[in-house]
Amino acid sequence: MSTNGSGQKVYVTISGLALLIRLDWPYHPSTSGADFWTLHSEIRPVGKDLHAKVAVNVSQTVRGVLPSLEPKDAESPTLNALRKEIDRFQIEFLKSAKLIPLPFSSRHYDFKARSLVVSSGQ
């Protein structure tokens, strides 16, 4: 992470893509009655007129592993989940306002190591 000329934080994926990421705190329970928590986000590649609006959906498994869904505990793993899904080509950058759901589930958790998985790039 670094900052750009306007003081915004710039996050970089394993593949080297520089991103501006806005997280709209707090996580809130799903309004559809599902058993996950949601956080809306907008991601912009630096220097491009594109963006991706994302709804990060935290599963009950991951919610149980995190100390809380407050920014101090959930910001870093949320950012890593977003960067990992970008590197895996699961997020499409568009000019439209389409909202993309992103599952933040147990596949982001290593049960043997009892820790969240850091982005591997693939």
Side-chain angles (χ1 to χ4, degrees):
M1 177 190 65
S2 64
T3 57
N4 65 6
S6 64
Q8 295 174 301
K9 291 181 182 177
V10 176
Y11 301 91
V12 180
T13 66
I14 295 289
S15 63
L17 181 61
L19 306 168
L20 299 173
I21 301 175
R22 187 187 80 230
L23 302 174
D24 297 330
W25 297 99
Y27 269 101
H28 58 276
S30 168
T31 56
S32 67
D35 65 347
F36 57 81
W37 291 67
T38 299
L39 176 75
H40 290 156
S41 174
E42 184 171 16
I43 308 167
R44 294 184 176 276
V46 173
K48 306 269 190 230
D49 188 25
L50 299 170
H51 69 276
K53 292 189 174 193
V54 179
V56 180
N57 299 321
V58 173
S59 69
Q60 288 294 341
T61 302
V62 171
R63 183 172 181 250
V65 170
L66 293 172
S68 78
L69 291 179
E70 296 299 317
K72 66 180 179 63
D73 297 318
E75 182 176 37
S76 181
T78 299
L79 290 168
N80 283 333
L82 288 166
R83 294 182 326 151
K84 180 178 182 177
E85 295 306 305
I86 290 166
D87 278 337
R88 295 180 67 229
F89 303 104
Q90 298 300 306
I91 295 178
E92 182 179 6
F93 293 104
L94 307 167
K95 289 188 177 188
S96 76
K98 180 180 176 183
L99 182 66
I100 303 165
L102 177 111
F104 182 12
S105 64
S106 57
R107 68 186 170 133
H108 293 90
Y109 186 72
D110 182 340
F111 286 93
K112 279 187 173 179
R114 294 181 165 250
S115 66
L116 293 166
V117 177
V118 177
S119 179
S120 64
Q122 291 298 321

